Amino acid sequence: MIQTPLSAERADQDAASRTAVGAVADAATQADADEQASLARLVSTSGERLPNAELDPWVAELDAAAIAELYQDMAVIRRLDAEGTALQRQGEIGLWPPLLGQEASQIGSARALRGDDFVFATYRDMGVAWARGVRPSDLNRVWRGATASGWNPYEVNMAPLQVIIGAQTLHATGYALGIQNDGADAVALTYLGDGASSQGDVNEALIFAASYQAPVVFFCQNNHWAISEPVGLQAHRPIADRAPGFGIPSMRVDGNDVLAVLAATRLAVERARTGGGPSFIEAVTYRMGPHTTADDPRKYRDPADLEIWAPRDPLARIEALLRGLGAFTREFEQQVADAADTAAAAVRAETIAIAQPAAHELFEHIYAEPHSGLARQRAEYLRYLAQFEEPTESGQPSTDGGAR
Amino acid sequence: MTVMTLAGAINAGLRAALAADPKTMLMGEDIGALGGVYRVTDGLQAEFGPRRVMDTPLAESGILGTAVGLGYRGYRPVVEIQFDGFIFPAFDQIVSQVSRTHARTNGVVSLPITIRVPFGGGIGSAEHHSESPEAYFAHTPGLRVVSPSTPQDAFTMIQQAIASNDPVLFFEPKRRYHVKGEVDVDRPLADAAPMGGANVVVTGSDVTLLAYGPLVATAMDAATAARAEGISIEVIDLRSLAPLDLDTLAASVQKTGRLVVTHEAPGFGGLGAEIVASLTERCFEYLEHAPVRVTGFDVPYPPAKLERHYLPDLDRIMDGVDRALGRVGAEAGAAS
């Protein structure tokens, strides 16, 4: 819409303000271009395979079929993510933190790990959980509000998703100390975001990891936003630049390039596995969606940013790469669509089937050993609840709490 | 029986725990070559090596956070917080992670972490070296909180805390570190009284006086002094602050009808408030007088030259006993 200036003075003001806005926008564009130019990358946005002497050896064995698998992984978690948002909108889960845009970061890093490695991740890393083998029925247990964590950490070697920002980086470092004490060659990998880089715990984790040369990899998904705060509020220089100050080697990769992420993570994991100590990876990506389904990014984010990032889509470039290799066939497309449909249908059906927990579960597993105070509260509350129950045919109240 | 200081008894208990289980390890600041600022871990690094007795960077949250990860890996970390007032950087890891990981993982992951904290005043220290933060932790579900008052209890309870599959805050009365007592080091741990039970240390019939950690000895002195006046005080050492052994405490209050609770920590929202409320709920019809708290005041821990006005001492506890007995004019000196 064209506005007619009310006066010449106002027109001057508008012109001045447009110039200032333009200057800020130019600076932002330049900063974005500089950032993109600084990233280690193996696949361009148009699907061209780019040489990189440091990273190439780590993905040298990947053939078209292996790259296609990575693509399928990303397509599946993108679909699970969309399903998560849909389930939230339909009231089946309470909250969902979308990972849209971060598929390459999550799949590339998770696929660099062995089964006996251990992952400490955050609430947005549902794609990592899926890649670690978490069952569809377990993925949404937390978001459904049925339990505090969905899966048995030892079945998939991944801790419950952490909500306290940065806390998990210390857990990974401690776990890595345990690996070291055991003389094992497993590795701990921890995920964190750009916001977490401001936390004391993350800095303490880097210090502990460096001091003991613990076999831990710090994988930072810099998605540019900590809810509404841009990364510039957390870091005035690239986050990866901090790690060398702790004595930890770091690398800044294109987080939307699944091959680069896989290669960088393999490099770091191998370093940890062979006694080379900790590493830090900053995967520069972009949170295309809101912080969570409870957030409205239009209040703080210029929609033009999305137009800059849309062509950097993690799936599109691998699709182009595979097309160039002749591997993005109709059959493959159908296979990916089927895999995504199957996963989404399973998550939907199994999420909706998650049962209402029984009242007594409130008191379970608070302590590993009997606790007199809690035992008293439990008994009193279940007695209270029993008053409201209809007698069953056997004449006994059917209180769920009496089961144990 | 061996005569040991309270600090020496903890050292002996730690040594026994380290010897018994290769997964047990100690972590903390200056606990290695120095043996801790109070020498509680003296000699243990030389005996068990630097990976089982680890000097850590000076970061309390880092100590607790890495202990969580070690717990995930099957280790049994015993961490030392150098001074009570230094625990707060670790508060988030303790409250948000240590206390609830077992619940969060539906009972799959246990975190048998023991957090040793030298606590309390009376040693003329600088600021942040004389705090009594136990109520914060007693308030937090998932944690157990204990405090020994004698060398014997220190020896057995530290081993019980380490053996517990729950996280335990182990509050060590630092002004009692050098008090000596007899310790039966040969008695099997299985034969010792459980760490969760209170201990009637003086039997009496007129007033129940509850104390823990540094004030148990003062409470026993009060019982001795009162006896000379013809007043029979029953002194109970709580030993466990969370959970509370309410059965033992209630039985005593039902017998005496009068209750005095004493601790160094500020009164407001303190352990005394919880104990008085719980026992009033249980024993209301037995009480002959309102329960009395004799505690630190609701001020930051004072500079050394004001400590004697802050810490409950024999006179203030006796004054509290007088109040519980309904003696007129005995008002001053009791907190709250």
Side-chain angles (χ1 to χ4, degrees):
Chain A
M1 185 168 84
I2 297 166
Q3 288 184 324
T4 306
L6 294 177
S7 69
E9 187 186 333
R10 172 68 184 274
D12 288 348
Q13 281 174 358
D14 281 1
S17 129
R18 270 197 302 276
T19 309
V21 168
V24 169
D26 288 349
T29 305
Q30 188 57 47
D32 175 70
D34 290 348
E35 180 176 82
Q36 285 294 308
S38 75
L39 305 178
R41 182 176 293 122
L42 291 177
V43 184
S44 74
T45 53
S46 56
E48 184 191 2
R49 181 69 170 78
L50 306 169
N52 180 300
E54 190 176 15
L55 294 182
D56 278 336
W58 297 96
V59 288
E61 98 291 0
L62 289 190
D63 56 11
I67 297 170
E69 276 182 35
L70 294 170
Y71 178 88
Q72 181 168 318
D73 280 348
M74 293 195 293
V76 169
I77 67 169
R78 175 167 291 186
R79 180 62 181 279
L80 291 180
D81 182 52
E83 200 66 26
T85 296
L87 285 164
Q88 192 279 334
R89 296 294 186 238
Q90 292 158 5
E92 295 294 348
I93 59 176
L95 189 76
W96 181 258
L99 58 83
L100 183 67
Q102 300 178 220
E103 296 88 351
S105 289
Q106 297 198 10
I107 292 300
S109 53
R111 287 296 181 224
L113 299 173
R114 285 195 327 216
D116 64 339
D117 296 330
F118 207 100
V119 172
F120 291 86
T122 83
Y123 49 85
R124 202 181 303 287
D125 299 319
M126 295 298 284
V128 175
W130 181 81
R132 290 300 284 173
V134 173
R135 284 186 293 270
S137 56
D138 290 343
L139 276 172
N140 277 345
R141 244 171 244 288
V142 169
W143 307 114
R144 179 93 162 164
T147 180
S149 76
W151 56 83
N152 179 333
Y154 296 130
E155 281 180 7
V156 288
N157 277 351
M158 177 167 177
L161 300 179
Q162 181 58 242
V163 176
I164 299 291
I165 302 298
Q168 76 285 355
T169 57
L170 280 167
H171 306 163
T173 303
Y175 191 91
L177 293 177
I179 292 172
Q180 209 173 34
N181 283 355
D182 294 342
D185 73 345
V187 167
L189 186 141
T190 182
Y191 290 87
L192 64 147
D194 44 299
S197 71
S198 296
Q199 287 282 356
D201 274 3
V202 172
N203 290 270
E204 294 186 21
L206 291 167
I207 291 163
F208 275 66
S211 294
Y212 303 113
Q213 288 295 289
V216 56
V217 175
F218 297 88
F219 190 90
C220 175
Q221 294 177 78
N222 173 1
N223 70 10
H224 284 83
W225 293 98
I227 305 190
S228 71
E229 297 187 352
V231 63
L233 197 60
Q234 323 289 341
H236 213 63
R237 288 183 47 78
I239 295 167
D241 284 4
R242 292 185 201 173
F246 291 94
I248 294 176
S250 70
M251 184 177 281
R252 199 169 199 225
V253 300
D254 183 341
N256 286 13
D257 173 356
V258 72
L259 290 196
V261 172
L262 177 66
T265 313
R266 282 179 169 179
L267 186 163
V269 165
E270 188 61 15
R271 180 185 287 141
R273 210 184 289 297
T274 54
S279 303
F280 188 99
I281 296 167
E282 179 187 0
V284 177
T285 179
Y286 199 85
R287 193 193 78 206
M288 297 298 280
H291 166 65
T292 68
T293 45
D295 176 39
D296 178 6
R298 291 172 304 184
K299 289 179 71 80
Y300 54 81
R301 185 160 77 181
D302 186 346
D305 283 3
L306 299 181
E307 292 170 26
I308 294 172
W309 279 89
R312 298 171 185 163
D313 183 74
L315 276 77
R317 73 179 69 183
I318 300 301
E319 177 183 332
L321 176 68
L322 289 170
R323 281 192 195 283
L325 295 169
F328 203 83
T329 60
R330 273 287 164 79
E331 294 74 36
F332 176 64
E333 266 190 282
Q334 190 58 50
Q335 173 192 319
V336 170
D338 288 348
D341 283 349
T342 303
V347 163
R348 166 167 291 274
E350 295 184 24
T351 297
I352 292 169
I354 293 169
Q356 166 70 28
H360 71 85
E361 291 182 39
L362 181 64
F363 303 96
E364 302 300 326
H365 307 305
I366 311 304
Y367 296 90
E369 295 172 8
H371 186 281
S372 57
L374 195 58
R376 196 159 45 237
Q377 283 190 356
R378 181 185 194 275
E380 283 172 8
Y381 185 61
L382 295 181
R383 229 177 1 254
Y384 164 81
L385 282 185
Q387 305 174 87
F388 305 108
E389 298 219 349
E390 298 289 334
T392 58
E393 281 177 24
S394 66
Q396 297 296 316
S398 68
T399 172
D400 57 13
R404 239 177 98 104
Chain B
M1 286 287 184
T2 313
V3 173
M4 287 184 181
T5 63
L6 191 144
I10 297 171
N11 180 281
L14 292 171
R15 179 177 286 103
L18 284 163
D21 179 0
K23 291 289 190 186
T24 297
M25 54 184 290
L26 313 189
M27 307 170 68
E29 299 159 1
D30 306 298
I31 68 166
L34 181 67
V37 295
Y38 285 109
R39 310 294 183 267
V40 173
T41 57
D42 196 29
L44 297 178
Q45 189 181 61
E47 192 170 339
F48 295 96
R51 291 301 300 204
R52 298 205 50 210
V53 181
M54 286 178 82
D55 271 329
T56 65
L58 267 69
E60 287 78 11
S61 188
I63 296 170
L64 266 300
T66 49
V68 169
L70 282 157
Y72 262 94
R73 184 77 190 175
Y75 281 83
R76 203 169 275 275
V78 184
V79 312
E80 175 175 304
I81 298 294
Q82 193 162 68
F83 284 96
D84 34 39
F86 302 170
I87 200 168
F88 300 108
F91 197 64
D92 172 57
Q93 285 287 344
I94 296 172
V95 171
S96 303
Q97 312 297 334
V98 173
S99 73
R100 56 176 74 184
T101 294
H102 189 66
R104 184 182 295 150
T105 59
N106 304 312
V108 172
V109 178
S110 294
L111 292 182
I113 298 173
T114 301
I115 306 170
R116 293 183 38 241
V117 190
F119 87 119
I123 60 164
S125 267
E127 195 182 6
H128 308 300
H129 291 66
S130 298
E131 315 277 320
S132 297
E134 59 273 17
Y136 297 113
F137 302 100
H139 185 69
T140 302
L143 302 176
R144 294 176 189 272
V145 184
V146 301
S147 182
S149 68
T150 65
Q152 177 67 63
D153 270 354
F155 176 73
T156 53
M157 287 169 70
I158 188 63
Q159 294 180 76
Q160 290 168 328
I162 294 168
S164 170
N165 287 321
D166 288 315
V168 179
L169 270 293
F170 191 84
F171 281 100
E172 303 172 2
K174 68 168 91 82
R175 67 166 140 140
R176 309 286 301 168
Y177 266 151
H178 304 298
V179 172
K180 289 181 179 167
E182 290 200 329
V183 178
D184 183 352
V185 292
D186 298 320
R187 184 175 59 181
L189 207 55
D191 296 347
M195 142 183 113
N199 191 13
V200 180
V201 291
V202 177
T203 307
S205 54
D206 296 334
V207 181
T208 296
L209 173 57
L210 305 181
Y212 55 89
L215 288 183
V216 172
T218 317
M220 291 170 75
D221 288 346
T224 304
R227 195 174 303 124
E229 296 178 22
I231 300 163
S232 171
I233 298 181
E234 178 148 295
V235 180
I236 301 182
D237 177 359
L238 296 180
R239 298 170 83 248
S240 174
L241 313 186
L244 288 165
D245 180 4
L246 285 177
D247 291 344
T248 299
L249 310 187
S252 176
V253 173
Q254 287 170 9
K255 178 173 72 175
T256 64
R258 298 173 194 273
L259 172 63
V260 177
V261 186
T262 186
H263 54 63
E264 291 187 12
F268 188 90
L271 257 298
E274 174 59 36
I275 292 166
V276 165
S278 289
L279 291 177
T280 302
E281 284 171 350
R282 281 192 168 215
C283 311
F284 183 71
E285 63 272 34
Y286 295 87
L287 285 168
E288 296 177 43
H289 192 277
V292 172
R293 287 174 288 166
V294 183
T295 70
F297 298 104
D298 297 334
V299 300
Y301 198 88
K305 299 233 182 278
L306 282 170
E307 270 186 315
R308 66 188 182 87
H309 294 295
Y310 175 88
L311 290 171
D313 60 7
L314 177 63
D315 288 338
R316 275 182 59 203
I317 290 173
M318 293 297 284
D319 181 75
V321 168
D322 280 345
R323 291 178 64 201
L325 289 165
R327 295 185 171 187
V328 180
E331 301 276 320
S336 310

